[in-house]
Amino acid sequence: MKSNNTAKSFDYTGLKRVISLGLSQSKGLFIGVIFIAVFSACFSVYRPYLTGDVIDNYILNKDLVGLKLEIFKLIILLIFEGILAFFTVYLANVVAQRVIKELRVRLYNHLIKFKLGYFDRTPNGVLVTRSVSDVETIAEVFNDGILVLLGDALKIIFIVAMMYYMNWVLATIVIVILPLMMIITRYFQKALKDVYQEERTLVSKLNTFIQERLTGMNIIQVFNRQQAEYSKFSSINNDLKKNYLKTVLYFSLLFPVVDIVSALATGSLIWFGGLRTAAAGDVTVGNLIAFTQFITMLTAPMRAIAERFNSIQRGLVGADRVFDILDANETLPNNGKKKLEKVKGKIDFENVEFSYVPNNKVLKGISFSSQPGETIAIVGATGAGKSTIINLLSRFYDIDSGSIKIDGIDIYDMDLVNLRHHVAVVLQDVFLFNTTIFDNIILGDKSITLEQVQEAAKVIGIHDFISSLPNGYYSEVSERGSTLSVGQRQLISFLRAYIYNPEILVLDEATSSIDSNSEELIQLATTKLTEGRTSIVIAHRLATIQNADQIIVMDNGMIVEKGTHESLLAKNGYYANLYEVQFSKMNS
C-alpha cells in the first residue's frame, strides 16, 4: 500500500478529497466556519488601525473624553475577536470529528468485506494503524488545519489591504518580507512531507511488532527470547524517536528564522518611518505604532501557516494511507442473485483447481459428491489441501477453475450472505472475543434469546458446563478465550454453530486438541451437531471418523482414495497405511 504522493511536496488531490468529505458531512458548519473566519479577520485588522487613530487624534491631542470612548471600542473589539476565535476553533473541531467518525465507519465496513487473502498478506498492525491513528491524524486537516489556515490567509490579505490604505510607502517596506516568508515556508513544507511519510511507516511497523509479540508471548517466553525481542523493539523505537526529533529540528530552525525576518522588517520600518516622521512629517506616530502591530499580526499568521501546513501535511499523509485501503479493490465479488430459504445439503465439487499464490496449485482437479445428510470425512497429511476445501465451500477464496455446487446450484450464483447462512464452520483454533459467553455465541444477533441458547446447550450437552462458570452465560471471556481450556473453547464454538441451525456443517480438525475432561462432552456435541445435516469432517484422528458415510483421502492437492472405512482398509493403500501408523502409535 505505497502512497502515490510521496514525490510531491503537497498532496492537493488528497486535500480536495478530504475537504469534499467534510462538506458532505457538515456543509452548513463548514461554510459557517468560513464566514466566521472572514469576520474574525476583519475585526482583527481593524484593531491596529483604531490604535493608530487613538494615538494621533486623542492621546497626542489630550482628548480624554474621546480617548475613553475609543478604548471602550477597543475592548468591545477584543471581546468580539475572542468570541469569533472560540467559534472558529470549536466548529472546526466539530467538522473534524464528524469526518473521522464517517471515515472510521467507511473503513471498517470496507475492511470486513475484504478477501481473506488480503489479511493473509497484510500485517494486522498495519491495518490497526490505518484504522485508528491514521484516521485520527485526518482530523488535524480541519481542527488545526485548513479552516484555521483560511482565517490566517484572510488576515494576511486584509492586513496588506489596510496597510496600503493607510500608507503605501510603509506598506511596501513591510510587504518585502512576504516572498521571503513564502520561500521559507515552502522549504520546510517539502522537508516535513518526507518526515511524516517516514513517521507513519515507522508507527505501522511498531504497531505490527507489538501486536505480533503480544500474541506470541508464550513462544517468546518458552524459547527465552525476551532479550532478543527487547533489542528489536528498542531498535524500531529508536528509529521512531529519531524521526520525531527531525520534526523538532525543523521547527526549532523555522521559528527563529521567522522571528529574525520579522525583526528585520520591524527595524526597517522604524528606521525609515522614524526618518520620515522627523524630516517630512508625512508619517505619524500612530502610523508607526499601527504598522509595528501589523508586522506582528502579519508574521504571526505566516508563522502559524507553517504550523498549519505541518498539521495538514501530517493529516494528508494519514489520509493518503486510509484512502489507499478505501480505494483497494479487495472485496470478494458478490454477483450471485439466488437466495435459498432452505437447502437439502447435496454438495458437488467438480474438477476444482485452486492456488493461493499464482502458478502454485494447492488443489489439482478435486471432484467428489455428497448426498443430503451424509457425513464426509477428509483425511491426509499436513498441506494436502484439506482445509482449503472448506475455505472454498464458504467462498472465503475464489477457485481458479471447476465448479462447486450446493443442491445443484453453483455457489457463485448464490448470494454470498445467503450461502454462508447455510454453512457453519467449527475451526480447530477457536477464536473467542473479549466479551461474555452469550455474546460469543450469538455474535450480535439480537433475535437469538438466552432461552434459545440454553435449550441448544442442553441438546448438545454443555449447559451444565456453562452454568458452572461464575456468571454462567454472562461470564466474561478473556481475549481469545485464554481463561478457558481448549476443550471448553471448542464446546462454545460447537454451540455457536448449532444455534444458527445450518444445513451444512464443517468441522475443521475440531476434535484434534481435546483435553480428557472435555472429550466425552465433545463427542456428544459432535453427534448432535452432525445429526440430520450434511457434514464435512476434517480430522487427523482417524478413530473419530470411522462411521463416516464417505472418507476422502488427499495427498499433495489430489484425491488418492475414496470410500468407507472398511473398504479403504481392504484396499490396503494410503488410508490403510495412515490408520496403521496411528493405531501403532496409540498402542506403543
Side-chain angles (χ1 to χ4, degrees), residues 47-56 59-60 166 170 266 269-270 273-274 277 283-297:
R47 181 161 43 85
Y49 174 82
L50 190 60
T51 301
D53 186 60
V54 168
I55 292 171
D56 289 337
I59 293 178
L60 294 180
M166 292 177 65
L170 294 182
T266 303
L269 174 70
I270 293 174
T277 301
V283 175
T284 67
V285 175
N287 286 154
L288 279 177
I289 299 297
F291 271 78
T292 302
Q293 287 187 326
F294 278 135
I295 290 175
T296 303
M297 292 182 65

Side-chain angles (χ1 to χ4, degrees), residues 5 7-16 146 149 186 189-190 193 308-310 312-313 316:
N5 302 306
K8 297 188 291 184
S9 62
F10 195 80
D11 182 11
Y12 291 100
T13 303
L15 179 61
K16 181 180 178 182
I146 190 67
L149 178 67
R186 182 71 174 173
Q189 178 186 323
K190 288 181 178 179
K193 172 76 175 184
R308 309 299 182 215
F309 268 110
N310 162 27
I312 294 173
Q313 200 80 283
L316 290 181

Side-chain angles (χ1 to χ4, degrees), residues 83 172 208 211 213 221 223 245 275 277 280 320 332 362 572:
I83 292 172
T172 303
T208 300
Q211 186 171 37
R213 270 56 184 185
Q221 293 185 358
F223 289 94
L245 287 178
L275 287 178
T277 301
D320 187 39
L332 200 64
V362 176
N572 200 27

Side-chain angles (χ1 to χ4, degrees), residues 297-318:
M297 292 182 65
L298 192 62
T299 55
M302 293 198 73
R303 178 172 166 171
I305 283 174
E307 294 184 67
R308 309 299 182 215
F309 268 110
N310 162 27
S311 299
I312 294 173
Q313 200 80 283
R314 187 191 296 267
L316 290 181
V317 168

Side-chain angles (χ1 to χ4, degrees), residues 9 53 128 136 150 182 199 213 247 299 319 346 364 371 455 469 481 498 501 513 529 534 579:
S9 62
D53 186 60
V128 170
E136 286 292 338
L150 177 64
M182 291 177 67
E199 174 198 312
R213 270 56 184 185
T247 308
T299 55
K346 186 178 187 301
K364 305 168 185 177
Q371 295 304 313
E455 286 302 315
L469 297 173
Y498 184 77
N501 195 28
S513 300
L529 275 171
T534 303
Y579 186 79

Side-chain angles (χ1 to χ4, degrees), residues 77-137:
L77 200 61
L78 284 169
I79 292 172
F80 269 106
E81 278 189 64
I83 292 172
L84 291 172
F86 164 77
F87 278 108
T88 300
V89 174
Y90 177 75
L91 294 179
N93 275 272
V94 171
V95 173
Q97 292 305 314
R98 288 184 179 180
V99 168
I100 63 174
K101 175 194 170 188
E102 174 64 19
L103 266 179
R104 285 196 198 103
V105 171
R106 287 190 189 183
L107 186 63
Y108 184 74
N109 190 43
H110 195 55
L111 273 174
I112 60 177
K113 296 175 183 175
F114 275 11
K115 305 171 186 175
L116 286 185
Y118 178 85
F119 300 101
D120 292 341
R121 64 178 184 269
T122 307
N124 286 339
V126 171
L127 297 177
V128 170
T129 302
R130 299 292 186 273
S131 304
V132 182
S133 59
D134 281 345
V135 171
E136 286 292 338
T137 61

Side-chain angles (χ1 to χ4, degrees), residues 252-501:
S252 298
L253 290 171
L254 173 62
F255 295 146
V257 170
V258 171
D259 289 339
I260 290 170
V261 173
S262 175
L264 287 173
T266 303
S268 300
L269 174 70
I270 293 174
W271 177 75
F272 182 81
L275 287 178
R276 298 293 298 179
T277 301
D282 56 349
V283 175
T284 67
V285 175
N287 286 154
L288 279 177
I289 299 297
F291 271 78
T292 302
Q293 287 187 326
F294 278 135
I295 290 175
T296 303
M297 292 182 65
L298 192 62
T299 55
M302 293 198 73
R303 178 172 166 171
I305 283 174
E307 294 184 67
R308 309 299 182 215
F309 268 110
N310 162 27
S311 299
I312 294 173
Q313 200 80 283
R314 187 191 296 267
L316 290 181
V317 168
D320 187 39
R321 297 159 83 86
V322 171
F323 289 143
D324 275 349
I325 296 180
L326 288 173
D327 295 338
N329 186 22
E330 295 287 347
T331 303
L332 200 64
N334 184 19
N335 301 319
K337 303 298 182 184
K338 295 183 179 179
K339 296 183 179 181
L340 307 180
E341 289 293 325
K342 197 79 175 174
V343 300
K344 296 177 181 178
K346 186 178 187 301
I347 299 173
D348 294 291
F349 273 63
E350 298 175 1
N351 200 29
V352 173
E353 295 191 346
F354 172 75
S355 53
Y356 292 103
V357 179
N359 302 318
N360 185 18
K361 290 192 181 298
V362 176
L363 296 184
K364 305 168 185 177
I366 297 295
S367 297
F368 69 87
S369 297
S370 77
Q371 295 304 313
E374 279 190 347
T375 296
I376 298 177
I378 303 178
V379 301
T382 301
K386 305 184 299 297
S387 295
T388 300
I389 288 178
I390 64 167
N391 285 333
L392 299 181
L393 179 62
S394 299
R395 267 204 71 195
F396 295 135
Y397 299 88
D398 282 337
I399 61 176
D400 296 340
S401 62
S403 68
I404 304 173
K405 297 178 180 178
I406 295 177
D407 289 357
I409 299 171
D410 196 302
I411 61 171
Y412 288 88
D413 293 331
M414 296 176 64
D415 175 75
L416 187 58
V417 175
N418 181 255
L419 166 66
R420 292 177 181 171
H421 175 75
H422 297 294
V423 181
V425 180
V426 178
L427 300 172
Q428 176 187 5
D429 183 17
V430 178
F431 188 94
L432 297 180
F433 295 96
N434 187 15
T435 181
T436 65
I437 287 178
F438 178 70
D439 288 335
N440 268 289
I441 293 168
I442 68 170
L443 294 176
D445 189 341
K446 301 299 183 183
S447 66
I448 301 175
T449 65
L450 175 61
E451 289 72 24
Q452 288 175 300
V453 173
Q454 289 173 331
E455 286 302 315
K458 290 174 183 176
V459 171
I460 64 174
I462 66 171
H463 174 69
D464 291 340
F465 146 64
I466 298 177
S467 298
S468 68
L469 297 173
N471 294 309
Y473 287 84
Y474 292 102
S475 297
E476 289 285 334
V477 177
S478 62
E479 187 175 1
R480 300 185 68 87
S482 59
T483 53
L484 300 174
S485 71
V486 173
Q488 289 170 334
R489 294 199 298 270
Q490 199 65 266
L491 287 168
I492 292 172
S493 72
F494 277 28
L495 179 55
R496 182 159 63 190
Y498 184 77
I499 197 70
Y500 279 89
N501 195 28

